[in-house]
Amino acid sequence: MQQTLILLKPDCVQRRLIGNVIQRFEQKGLRLAGLKLVQSSKELAEKHYAVHKGKPFYDSLLSFLTSGPTVAMVWEGREAVAVCRNLMGVTDGAKAPPGTIRGDHALSVQNNLIHGSDSAENAALEIALWFKPDELVRSSMADGSWVG
Ligand code: DAT
Ligand code: MG
């Protein structure tokens, strides 16, 4: 069972797409292990996007992530990291295929609605950055043996 960090970034919240996106993860069969609305500080945004420090879009990216509330979530399930990345679509909304979250709702590269961890290792680091251990809930789903 794998976990991944998903952020519904400020554009997703402002465009009232929270329910639309969460429905996709639920319908896929993933389990929600953590959920909260966060006003990201500059410090949190810097830590989250540390890998992009020095790139031309870094300052703009930090301003964007701190510009309003973000929904932070932990989803888990079989191959959760790759499954979520596939549901999201590629980074550039203009290139993301129809049927994906970005493909259906994003045109921008920066304002692309959603973040998803890109590896199990990064997922563990990012979950620890956004959630305290007692904010995550362990449980099983009633249909777990059917969904797999
Ligand atoms: P992803 O979010 O698909 O994992 P990433 O980790 O390469 O993409 O980049 C993090 C975010 O930074 C991305 O969601 C949007 C922004 N970004 C990436 N490349 C960019 C670029 N060339 N210009 C502007 N923003 C960019
Ligand atoms: Mg990334």
Side-chain angles (χ1 to χ4, degrees), residues 18 20 76:
I18 295 170
N20 178 302
E76 66 181 29

Side-chain angles (χ1 to χ4, degrees), residues 9-57:
K9 297 192 278 196
D11 56 338
C12 188
V13 176
Q14 294 302 321
R15 293 176 56 197
R16 306 172 201 273
L17 289 169
I18 295 170
N20 178 302
V21 174
I22 287 180
Q23 185 173 37
R24 295 167 186 247
F25 292 113
E26 276 196 303
Q27 286 180 338
K28 184 67 178 171
L30 297 163
R31 191 184 78 79
L32 187 60
L35 171 71
K36 62 181 177 179
L37 189 65
V38 181
Q39 173 55 58
S40 174
S41 63
K42 184 149 187 257
E43 189 190 13
L44 177 58
E46 282 172 350
K47 285 183 183 161
H48 179 76
Y49 278 133
V51 67
H52 296 299
K53 194 173 164 76
K55 293 185 184 167
F57 57 85

Side-chain angles (χ1 to χ4, degrees), residues 9 48-49 51-52 55-58 60-61 64 85 88-92 102 108-118:
K9 297 192 278 196
H48 179 76
Y49 278 133
V51 67
H52 296 299
K55 293 185 184 167
F57 57 85
Y58 179 70
S60 173
L61 188 58
F64 169 56
R85 296 280 294 187
M88 289 161 53
V90 294
T91 308
D92 183 348
R102 288 165 168 170
S108 165
V109 177
Q110 176 186 270
N111 296 17
N112 59 8
L113 301 171
I114 185 162
H115 167 84
S117 307
D118 62 9

